[in-house]
Amino acid sequence: MAPPTFDRHVVTSDGVRLAVSVQGDGEPLLMIPGLGATRRVYAPVVPALARHHRVIVYDPRGVGGSDVPPGPYPMTRLALDCVEVASACGAETFQLFGASMGGLTAQHVAVLHPDRLTRLILAATGPGRHTAVPAQPEAIAALLGRGARTPADAYRMACTVLYAQRFQHDHPEFIDGEVAYRAAHPIPGRAFTAQFRASRDADIGERLGEIAVPALVLHGTEDVLVPLANAEALTKLIPGARRYWFDGRGHLFFHEDPDLTVEVMVSFLRGG
C-alpha cells in the first residue's frame, strides 16, 4: 500500500500560493517539475520513492493548483519558491531532484542556497544557455505545439519529442492518457510563456563548480529536447558528479522506465 498523501498550500514571500503534496516518511526529498508540468508528472515514481523518503512535490507558480501571477518568473524567484516550500514543510535541509526546466531551477537552488541541500539529482537537463547544446528547431516547435488548434493537439505534438520513438510505438495508450489529461487541464498561456522564458534565459553554468554536495546526473540517450551532450557537460562542470544514462529512453525517461529510475535514485540518495 502506498503511503498516504497530504495536500496543502504554501504562501511564498511574494504572496503566491503554491500547491504542495507530501507523501511518505524519512529524509525529505523535494522534486521540482519541468516546463508546464505539475506534480502529476512525477506520479509514476513518487509512490515507490515515498517508501524510502518524505517526498515533497509542488506545482510551480503558474500551473496546476498554484496561483498564476503575471510574469516574469526569474530563476532566482523559482529557486526561492523551492526553498520556501521546503521550509514550510519543515525541511531545513533536503535532497533535491529536478527534471528538465526543474533541473535548471535545482541548479540555481544548489548555487544560491547551498546550505539547504544534502544531495542533488539533475535529470534531463543542461547547464544553461551559454553552455547548452541546443535541440533542433523542429523539436522545439513540437514541444511548443506550434500550429496546433487545441490543447490536445498541442500536447500530442509535444509527446513526439518528450518520449523515445520506441516507447511511443509500444505504449500508445500511455500517450493517449497523457494527452487526454493535458486537454482537460490546459496550462495557462501566460504562465507557460513566463516559464519558457525563464528556462531559455537561465545562465548558471559558470557557477556549477561551486556545488559541493554529492550530485547525480540522469539522462535518456534518446532525448531530442535536451541532447545527451548537455548531461555530459554537467558531469564535467559539477565537481565529482556521477552519471547514469537510460539507454534508449527519451526526455521523460522516468515515465518510460519508472522502476529503474527509482532504483538508481534510491541507491544514490542512500549514499551508494
Side-chain angles (χ1 to χ4, degrees):
M1 180 180 296
T5 299
F6 301 96
D7 295 322
R8 59 174 296 184
H9 278 87
V10 168
V11 180
T12 65
S13 55
D14 65 342
V16 175
R17 282 165 39 96
L18 301 179
V20 181
S21 294
V22 182
Q23 186 173 0
D25 294 306
E27 186 170 358
L29 169 62
L30 202 149
M31 304 183 73
I32 310 175
L35 176 66
T38 67
R39 293 166 288 174
R40 182 180 178 274
V41 75
Y42 294 134
V45 295
V46 164
L49 289 170
R51 298 188 185 103
H52 307 273
H53 300 274
R54 181 158 64 98
V55 182
I56 304 168
V57 189
Y58 65 99
D59 291 342
R61 56 178 59 209
V63 300
S66 294
D67 289 347
V68 187
Y73 299 171
M75 271 290 168
T76 52
R77 178 65 252 181
L78 297 178
L80 187 56
D81 287 349
C82 174
V83 298
E84 290 181 347
V85 165
S87 295
C89 293
E92 290 309 308
T93 61
F94 52 90
Q95 300 171 324
L96 182 61
F97 176 99
S100 196
M101 178 184 167
L104 287 170
T105 305
Q107 292 170 50
H108 282 73
V109 175
V111 169
L112 300 177
H113 307 276
D115 58 320
R116 303 299 299 273
L117 296 193
T118 57
R119 284 184 176 252
L120 174 66
I121 301 178
L122 301 173
T125 192
R129 61 176 178 148
H130 291 302
T131 49
V133 176
Q136 293 297 314
E138 55 269 25
I140 297 298
L143 174 68
L144 300 180
R146 289 176 180 161
R149 295 184 177 182
T150 67
D153 290 343
Y155 199 67
R156 190 170 293 280
M157 290 175 63
C159 285
T160 66
V161 292
L162 289 172
Y163 299 98
Q165 290 294 319
R166 181 173 179 178
F167 184 82
Q168 294 177 51
H169 178 270
D170 292 347
H171 300 280
E173 74 292 342
F174 184 91
I175 303 298
D176 289 345
E178 294 300 294
V179 170
Y181 183 86
R182 183 60 69 93
H185 304 85
I187 302 301
R190 65 175 179 172
F192 188 91
T193 299
Q195 287 192 0
F196 180 72
R197 288 176 177 169
S199 177
R200 180 196 62 192
D201 297 338
D203 184 18
I204 199 69
E206 292 183 356
R207 297 190 61 184
L208 294 179
E210 301 173 23
I211 296 176
V213 297
L216 174 65
V217 178
L218 306 178
H219 217 87
T221 61
E222 300 301 315
D223 190 337
V224 297
L225 280 179
V226 182
L228 184 62
N230 291 279
E232 293 170 340
L234 281 176
T235 63
K236 295 176 182 177
L237 291 166
I238 300 174
R242 305 178 193 179
R243 72 180 199 180
Y244 189 94
W245 302 158
F246 291 79
D247 188 45
R249 302 304 188 181
H251 190 63
L252 297 183
F253 63 82
F254 47 90
H255 283 186
E256 299 180 33
D257 201 339
D259 293 342
L260 181 57
T261 300
V262 170
E263 178 184 338
V264 172
M265 288 179 62
V266 169
S267 175
F268 170 74
L269 295 174
R270 283 177 170 173

